[in-house]
Structures are given as C-alpha cells and as structure tokens.
Amino acid sequence: MELYIDTANAQDIKEALSWGCISGATTNPKIMSNEKGGYSFKEKILEIIELVKNPVSVEVTEEDLHGMVEEAKIYASWNENIVIKIPMGIEGLKAVRQLEKNEGVKTNVTAIMSSSQAILAALSGTSYASIFYGRISDMGYDPVEVIRETSALYKEQNIHTRLIVGSIRTILDVNKAFLAGADIVTVPFPILKKMTQNPKTEETIKEFNSIWREMKEKGLIKLEEKISPRKLTITRALKV
Ligand code: E4P
C-alpha cells in the first residue's frame, strides 16, 4: 500500500512529504497548467524530482508513436526517477513496448477506464497502469469493479505491472481503491489533508490535554524533566 501525491505544486509536495507517508508523485499536462505560467518545464520537473526522490510520472503530449518515444526519451534522460506517462491507445501501447524493452525507460499507462485496457497495458510490458476512479464514475460505471477485476487478474497471472489509482475526488475513493486491490493511490493535496482530520479525534485530544493541564495547574502531578528543544536535539544526535 503506497500513497503518491497528484500535483506539481512544490509547496504542497514539500508539506505532504514531511508527513512521511508519501512515496511518489504523478503529474499530467492539466496538473502542470495549474502552476503559475512562464516556468521552465524541465526545471519544474527537476524541482519535483529533487523533493520526492522517488518515482515521479511525467506525461507525453505527442500523439503518434515516433513523437511519443522521442518525447519520452528526452524526459527520461533528465533523471532516473522519471516515469513516463503514456496515454492508453494503440500508439501508446506500441510506445510502451519500445520504451520498456529497447530503451530501459519505465512507463505508466494512463487514462485507463476498463479492465480490458488494463490487460493490454500489462501485456505491453508497462511498469505501472493508472486507472481513473473519478472519471469512471462520471460515465456511470463502478470504478471499484474495474480495480477489483484488474487487481485479481494481475495477481492470478503474476503480472509485474503495479496498479495505480488516480482521479480521486473524495477520501472514501482512497479507501475503496485500496480495498479493491490498488498497489498505489495518487491523491490531490486537499484530499490528503482531509484524510488527517476527524472532529472526534480533535475533540478527544482537546479533552485529554485539558485534563492534563488542569492536573499540572493544581499541582497534582510532578514532571521530573522539562522538555526543551535543545535536549530533544541532543538525544536525536546521540541516537545517530
Ligand atoms: C493520475 O495520474 C492523474 O494525474 C489524475 O489523477 C487525473 O485525474 P482527474 O480526473 O482529476 O483529471
């Protein structure tokens, strides 16, 4: 079970990484367009790579085989953690085969809406396949069924392709995607933040801490040591 962040925003990536629960990032042309214009694409991707230090998906925008392969080779040459997102389709499948087999480039077949497409993606040799949860729901189909079927097939057939679920719109989508068999769920930052929150948790912590404060104020409890930031630093340094 792994969580990726679905954004190109450096601030959000930095914050989410500091929680210690994120092991990769995914981008796409629409996500890149959410960032303030006028930036260098290469510099932006390398900034994300530097922060994440793990797989980061970057999508090609060319639509024919030759164009996709050439574009992919350029992006892949920037850093070994770059995974090339290739849109699902006939040209895409051919590009994946070429990139994975002949060029040693890792790919992520994207915009998958059915288990039939996921089968083709896996057989083309892709390292990752991305099923789009929210967009499958938009069409009136059940994304959980698509994920469950694909995950079962991959396991049954010993397929090495890792299953990513993206197009996440609610925190419930994340749970359902993992329960249906996703290896990785890629989540926008606002939803990651919501995952940390629960009013009952906040109420409980407030209750515990106010009881503790009251005990201290009334002198009903003695604390042997005062916690000072300096002491914490020294302990940590000794451990290393
Ligand atoms: C996943 O890799 C995609 O970047 C993303 O989740 C697409 O989702 P959308 O439906 O929000 O565009």
Side-chain angles (χ1 to χ4, degrees):
M1 183 167 78
E2 280 184 67
L3 275 175
Y4 284 7
I5 184 164
D6 199 22
T7 186
N9 186 276
Q11 278 301 99
D12 292 350
I13 292 174
K14 231 181 269 173
E15 174 58 24
L17 283 171
S18 72
W19 306 350
C21 316
I22 305 296
S23 52
T26 47
T27 67
N28 64 38
K30 191 174 165 193
I31 284 176
M32 297 305 300
S33 78
N34 291 337
E35 296 309 293
K36 244 201 250 130
Y39 62 82
S40 143
F41 182 60
K42 182 175 179 180
E43 277 168 25
K44 171 70 82 198
I45 294 296
L46 290 179
E47 183 190 9
I48 298 171
I49 285 280
E50 183 58 33
L51 292 170
V52 177
K53 295 185 176 68
N54 265 312
V56 174
S57 285
V58 180
E59 186 161 341
V60 294
T61 50
E62 292 294 326
E63 294 182 6
D64 65 304
L65 173 61
H66 178 74
M68 278 190 212
V69 170
E70 289 312 303
E71 191 182 352
K73 285 197 306 199
I74 294 171
Y75 300 159
S77 74
W78 294 345
N79 189 282
E80 59 185 13
N81 274 328
I82 291 179
V83 174
I84 304 298
K85 253 191 186 177
I86 303 279
M88 177 64 207
I90 293 174
E91 293 297 282
L93 292 171
K94 290 183 202 169
V96 167
R97 166 65 33 147
Q98 221 165 290
L99 288 164
E100 290 272 357
K101 231 182 153 196
N102 307 336
E103 309 290 343
V105 170
K106 281 198 173 17
T107 60
N108 171 3
V109 175
T110 191
I112 291 179
M113 308 291 168
S114 70
S115 33
S116 315
Q117 291 178 321
I119 291 171
L120 291 171
L123 293 176
S124 73
T126 191
S127 301
Y128 302 88
S130 289
I131 293 180
F132 277 24
Y133 196 105
R135 290 184 190 249
I136 295 173
S137 310
D138 289 344
M139 293 187 294
Y141 296 106
D142 183 2
V144 168
E145 271 316 299
V146 178
I147 300 161
R148 188 173 291 138
E149 203 171 281
T150 304
S151 160
L153 279 165
Y154 281 11
K155 282 197 179 90
E156 171 88 21
Q157 301 290 327
N158 261 328
I159 299 285
H160 79 274
T161 301
R162 303 198 69 209
L163 193 56
I164 304 182
V165 174
S167 188
I168 293 294
R169 311 260 166 86
T170 72
I171 52 178
L172 191 59
D173 297 349
V174 179
N175 302 7
K176 285 188 166 179
F178 277 130
L179 282 169
D183 298 307
I184 299 157
V185 182
T186 186
V187 186
F189 186 61
I191 295 171
L192 279 175
K193 250 199 327 208
K194 277 192 194 155
M195 286 171 71
T196 68
Q197 298 157 355
N198 186 299
K200 198 70 189 168
T201 304
E202 279 134 42
E203 182 194 304
T204 306
I205 292 168
K206 244 190 212 150
E207 182 192 332
F208 289 176
N209 286 348
S210 82
I211 292 171
W212 189 249
R213 259 192 307 275
E214 217 180 293
M215 299 252 303
K216 278 203 297 187
E217 275 160 24
K218 288 184 181 159
L220 297 173
I221 190 143
K222 273 196 198 106
L223 298 172
E224 277 22 89
E225 278 185 273
K226 280 224 159 54
I227 299 165
S228 80
R230 196 176 132 69
K231 212 169 238 168
L232 284 176
T233 316
I234 290 167
T235 321
R236 221 170 279 144
L238 285 175
K239 261 192 195 157
V240 177

